[in-house]
Amino acid sequence: MNQSNKTPKTSFIKSLGRNLREMKAFRKSLYLAFLFTVIAAILSSVAPSKLSDLADEISKSLTVDFEEMGKLSQEIGLNLQSENPQDLQYDGKVISLDDQKSYMNILSELKENNISLVERDELSEDQQAMLLDSYKKFPQSIINIVEPSLDMDAVWSIVKLLIVIYIGSFAFSYIHGLIMAEVTNDYAKQLRSDVSDKINKLPLNYFDTNQIGDILSRMINDVDQVSFNLGDSLGTIVSSTALLMGSVVMMFSTNWMLALIAILSSLFGFLFTGIIIGKSQKYFRTRQKVLGEINGHTEEIISGIEVVKIYNAKEETEEKFDELNNNLFSSSVKSKFLSNMLQPLMNFIGNFGYLAVSIAGAIFVSKGYISFGVIVAFMTYVRLFTNPLSRIAQALSALQASAAASDRVFEFMDEVELSDESHLTNYLDPHDVEGEIEFKDVVFQYPSNDQPTIKGFSAKALPGQKIAIVGPTGAGKSTMVNLLMKFYEISQGDILIDGNSIHTISRENIHDLFTMILQDTWLFHGSVRENIVYNMKDVSDDELMTLLDFIGLTHFVKTLPEGLDTIIKSNDSVSAGQRQLLTIARGMLKDAPFLILDEATSNVDTRTEEVIQEAMDKLMYGKTSFIIAHRLSTIVNADLILVMKDGNIIEQGTHKELLAQKGFYADLYNSQFSLN
């Protein structure tokens, strides 16, 4: 079985866009989640400005209020210069005339020593020490007015607002997380359902040309990768973008100079992020592709482990696995290395931003351009600005893996399907079908072949006839059955069922008309009863036991520990012949007007074959039957034998008639008894 070599080459943006389109059923929930995360981001952006107010309020209690001192000095000066100086009422407090004079004398001494309250930041250490000593000499009434004090009412007002902001931000973020978790799981469920539905819509040719393990990898690993990363990443990107924009707006509204410094110091991180994403995306795609190849290789080896052991192919299979494993390791290391560079890069940018803001902020405070609270706010804003960048970088890294996985899922979803048959209204009731089938100049060519496999095939089966189809390997026997079951669409010609063209009947209707027992047995993990009554309802135990007696399975079932309720697997203490009998029992339970046996007795011994053949003769009574057989001894009693070679009928007739012709059939039949 060859695996498709197609590799998804969809761009990261297109993959993300496709996922968003596929999530249209969840748009309302997504919009609501995004709204909540934006509100949470806005609240987080507003909080630093309130922290700045809180810092400024606290800083007032740590330093002398020189601004208030200047106002007070002006009031006292005017009062002392008036014609009738008197005690001064200021801010609800009384300052005596003597205290006023004493205060002004101290200020005069400071002025004589060139100490200015306005330019106090430029004073020498000695001058600052003199200013502090002078402050200690101030009258108590003056000190009560200008000494540092903490306005607890203002502090508590800001603290309460901050608590509300932080609680609100947490609540909206929490609700956003709940919604996104539900959306993510629902989307994964939808993807799995879509993939499952797609499997039933694909032609058999797809499964003939692709490894089953790779298909399973797309359905399980890739879907899990999409659901695991996509939901969280989308929410992270939206919330981080909102927080990023909010912090930028608040930074500029607080101080445009520091805002420019903080942003410019972090801006070049975007450039490196884009470069890294472009480099790593191809490795994510390769990783998912090789993972599918490993699953396909492993599935093939495990299913054929007996052959591997018989032919001592351990080294060969290990070499192939090691090659694929090394490819997976290489692509995983490269993709992870590049994507993991994003986080330390953004941390470096964040730290660089802290440093730039700290240096510039210190200079601006010393110049009196900003207050200490502005620096506190900007230290928080730098974190709010760089953290979203870091989280966006992480989300983009996760989205890369999700995009690579979704490419493979959507590549599978975009495969060409079987033709739509919703317009077909012709329905054949299985109970009313007479049983006539006619092939009229049927031509069929596999998509991957240059020449037709079936070339102008024509034959007619009358109601109740047993039709045997024989011929060498590759003659087209199984292909004819697949065309009859409409597993493949015929290229030219027609097949008529009771005079109704197969083109006018849906596949589901055709499948209801046929019981098909194949050479390849299939048992699923379940009880004996479940395997026999597969997709059939209202089957009693009495009916089952009668059927088991009919085909000789009663002894086998009675030896099982729980009888019909015993859980079995296709490879769990069940021989090839017993598996064949169980699948035959399943087919015999279905009441359909047509029967197809494709080497159905190839895995049973001669004695069991005789028992089954007798049961088959009873089963085929009144049904139009098609038997594909290599052991020609099993079809000597067929009503009509069609001999195929190179995709066409070269002989037809009964067993005796074909032997009498001494042609190709006679040679095939007699070769069974030849010793040479």
Side-chain angles (χ1 to χ4, degrees):
M1 186 180 293
N2 298 322
Q3 183 185 8
S4 173
N5 291 322
K6 291 184 289 184
T7 302
K9 296 183 180 179
T10 311
S11 70
F12 173 74
I13 299 299
K14 288 184 178 179
S15 297
L16 181 59
R18 174 70 181 271
N19 274 292
L20 292 176
R21 289 194 298 273
E22 294 292 330
M23 297 176 74
K24 62 182 180 181
F26 313 107
R27 283 181 181 174
K28 291 184 178 179
S29 296
L30 284 174
Y31 291 154
L32 188 60
F34 292 163
L35 175 63
F36 285 151
T37 194
V38 168
I39 294 175
I42 292 174
L43 291 175
S44 298
S45 300
V46 171
S49 67
K50 299 305 174 185
L51 281 175
S52 175
D53 294 340
L54 181 61
D56 286 338
E57 194 66 41
I58 294 175
S59 66
K60 292 178 183 179
S61 66
L62 303 177
T63 60
V64 175
D65 193 346
F66 288 100
E67 183 178 354
E68 192 68 28
M69 188 182 295
K71 295 179 180 179
L72 178 60
S73 300
Q74 187 177 9
E75 288 286 335
I76 293 176
L78 293 174
N79 181 50
L80 293 177
Q81 293 174 7
S82 65
E83 294 180 356
N84 185 26
Q86 55 185 348
D87 293 345
L88 181 66
Q89 186 84 14
Y90 186 88
D91 195 22
K93 299 176 182 178
V94 178
I95 305 175
S96 67
L97 187 60
D98 291 338
D99 286 349
Q100 295 178 47
K101 292 178 180 179
S102 176
Y103 174 67
M104 294 304 293
N105 289 334
I106 294 173
L107 292 184
S108 297
E109 291 177 4
L110 291 174
K111 189 174 182 181
E112 291 175 358
N113 289 283
N114 296 320
I115 298 175
S116 172
L117 299 179
V118 177
E119 300 175 352
R120 60 189 177 279
D121 294 329
E122 300 178 2
L123 299 178
S124 65
E125 292 184 6
D126 292 339
Q127 289 175 324
Q128 289 182 0
M130 187 178 295
L131 176 62
L132 181 60
D133 290 338
S134 299
Y135 172 76
K136 294 178 181 178
K137 298 177 183 178
F138 285 170
Q140 188 61 45
S141 59
I142 301 295
I143 292 176
N144 292 338
I145 295 174
V146 300
E147 73 175 348
S149 62
L150 184 62
D151 187 348
M152 291 304 300
D153 291 337
V155 169
W156 276 114
S157 177
I158 297 174
V159 168
K160 290 176 183 178
L161 182 58
L162 280 171
I163 291 174
V164 172
I165 290 174
Y166 287 136
I167 291 177
S169 178
F170 167 77
F172 285 115
S173 297
Y174 180 75
I175 296 173
H176 158 262
L178 290 179
I179 296 175
M180 289 306 300
E182 183 176 355
V183 168
T184 298
N185 286 294
D186 286 344
Y187 182 50
K189 179 182 177 183
Q190 174 187 298
L191 279 181
R192 291 191 182 93
S193 298
D194 291 343
V195 171
S196 179
D197 291 340
K198 183 72 177 184
I199 288 175
N200 294 320
K201 298 176 182 178
L202 291 173
L204 285 181
N205 181 63
Y206 179 83
F207 301 97
D208 294 338
T209 55
N210 288 271
Q211 289 181 318
I212 300 302
D214 183 63
I215 297 173
L216 292 175
S217 182
R218 294 173 191 256
M219 188 174 185
I220 300 173
N221 295 335
D222 292 327
V223 171
D224 282 345
Q225 188 75 265
V226 173
S227 63
F228 182 76
N229 291 318
L230 185 63
D232 291 340
S233 300
L234 285 176
T236 298
I237 288 177
V238 172
S239 62
S240 299
T241 302
L243 189 58
L244 188 68
M245 296 176 63
S247 62
V248 169
V249 171
M250 294 303 296
M251 278 194 290
F252 274 103
S253 64
T254 303
N255 186 276
W256 67 271
M257 291 184 293
L258 281 181
L260 286 177
I261 293 172
I263 293 173
L264 291 176
S265 64
S266 307
L267 199 57
F268 69 91
F270 283 109
L271 176 62
F272 285 104
T273 299
I275 294 174
I276 291 173
I277 289 175
K279 293 288 185 181
S280 60
Q281 181 62 22
K282 62 181 180 181
Y283 296 119
F284 278 104
R285 288 197 296 262
T286 302
R287 186 185 69 176
Q288 293 303 122
K289 176 179 178 292
V290 177
L291 181 60
E293 291 177 351
I294 283 184
N295 288 333
H297 174 74
T298 304
E299 186 269 337
E300 282 186 343
I301 297 305
I302 293 177
S303 61
I305 191 65
E306 292 180 354
V307 177
V308 173
K309 289 182 177 293
I310 290 172
Y311 284 89
N312 290 321
K314 176 183 177 182
E315 292 185 4
E316 181 181 347
T317 55
E318 286 184 350
E319 287 177 1
K320 178 64 175 176
F321 180 84
D322 288 342
E323 178 186 352
L324 293 173
N325 200 23
N326 288 334
N327 291 339
L328 179 61
F329 172 79
S330 176
S331 58
S332 296
V333 167
K334 291 176 181 177
S335 61
K336 285 293 184 182
F337 172 75
L338 289 173
S339 62
N340 288 341
M341 283 179 61
L342 297 174
Q343 180 67 22
L345 174 63
M346 300 316 299
N347 287 338
F348 168 77
I349 294 172
N351 293 332
F352 186 73
Y354 276 123
L355 181 62
V357 168
S358 298
I359 295 174
I363 296 174
F364 292 163
V365 168
S366 66
K367 298 294 184 180
Y369 298 152
I370 60 175
S371 66
F372 177 73
V374 173
I375 295 183
V376 173
F378 261 87
M379 296 300 289
T380 307
Y381 280 132
V382 170
R383 179 177 60 82
L384 290 180
F385 183 75
T386 56
N387 276 6
L389 289 177
S390 178
R391 292 173 61 194
I392 289 174
Q394 286 181 310
L396 290 176
S397 175
L399 280 178
Q400 285 182 288
S402 179
S406 64
D407 282 344
R408 286 170 46 79
V409 175
F410 295 139
E411 182 192 26
F412 177 78
M413 296 297 296
D414 293 338
E415 288 288 341
V416 177
E417 301 178 356
L418 293 166
S419 58
D420 180 33
E421 295 184 332
S422 59
H423 62 284
L424 300 181
T425 57
N426 190 13
Y427 176 77
L428 299 182
D429 191 323
H431 299 95
D432 297 333
V433 169
E434 295 181 5
E436 179 183 285
I437 292 181
E438 182 179 3
F439 297 87
K440 298 182 66 175
D441 299 319
V442 174
V443 177
F444 174 73
Q445 179 177 335
Y446 286 100
S448 57
N449 291 353
D450 296 330
Q451 299 294 328
T453 302
I454 304 297
K455 309 167 185 176
F457 183 96
S458 295
K460 189 172 185 178
L462 298 177
Q465 278 191 325
K466 181 165 66 173
I467 311 297
I469 305 176
V470 301
T473 301
K477 304 183 296 297
S478 295
T479 301
M480 283 307 309
V481 170
N482 287 334
L483 293 176
L484 180 60
M485 293 291 292
K486 216 172 181 181
F487 291 145
Y488 292 105
E489 297 286 349
I490 60 178
S491 303
Q492 295 179 26
D494 201 358
I495 300 176
L496 305 178
I497 301 178
D498 281 359
N500 296 273
S501 171
I502 198 172
H503 298 299
T504 66
I505 310 171
S506 69
R507 297 180 193 89
E508 288 77 9
N509 189 190
I510 290 176
H511 297 165
D512 287 338
L513 303 177
F514 286 86
T515 295
M516 193 172 186
I517 301 176
L518 303 174
Q519 177 182 2
D520 297 328
T521 58
W522 178 69
L523 297 180
F524 56 88
H525 182 75
S527 66
V528 173
R529 176 187 287 102
E530 290 170 337
N531 271 278
I532 296 176
V533 301
Y534 181 67
N535 203 35
M536 287 176 276
K537 300 179 180 179
D538 302 325
V539 179
S540 66
D541 285 357
D542 290 340
E543 291 178 277
L544 282 179
M545 295 309 299
T546 301
L547 175 62
L548 296 178
D549 282 335
F550 196 60
I551 61 174
L553 267 177
T554 303
H555 175 71
F556 165 70
V557 172
K558 287 183 177 180
T559 61
L560 297 175
E562 298 181 31
L564 289 172
D565 295 319
T566 302
I567 302 298
I568 62 172
K569 299 179 181 178
S570 58
N571 58 346
D572 183 18
S573 302
V574 181
S575 69
Q578 290 166 337
R579 291 200 300 269
Q580 191 78 55
L581 287 171
L582 286 171
T583 56
I584 290 173
R586 180 194 299 156
M588 294 179 70
L589 197 60
K590 183 179 180 180
D591 184 18
F594 299 103
L595 176 65
I596 295 176
L597 304 175
D598 188 352
E599 291 290 336
T601 60
S602 61
N603 290 328
V604 296
D605 58 77
T606 304
R607 174 59 187 150
T608 304
E609 181 181 11
E610 291 178 0
V611 174
I612 294 176
Q613 195 64 51
E614 182 180 353
M616 289 295 184
D617 290 339
K618 296 178 181 178
L619 174 65
M620 289 184 285
Y621 180 78
K623 297 182 179 181
T624 306
S625 306
F626 294 87
I627 306 171
I628 298 176
H630 287 114
R631 281 191 276 184
L632 303 187
S633 59
T634 63
I635 48 93
V636 293
N637 62 344
D639 297 312
L640 178 64
I641 299 175
L642 303 177
V643 184
M644 293 189 66
K645 183 181 180 183
D646 299 329
N648 212 337
I649 297 175
I650 58 173
E651 295 175 4
Q652 57 179 304
T654 63
H655 174 67
K656 291 182 179 180
E657 291 172 347
L658 292 174
L659 286 180
Q661 293 178 15
K662 297 182 179 181
F664 188 76
Y665 176 82
D667 291 339
L668 282 177
Y669 184 77
N670 292 326
S671 66
Q672 297 180 111
F673 311 104
S674 175
L675 297 178
N676 297 323

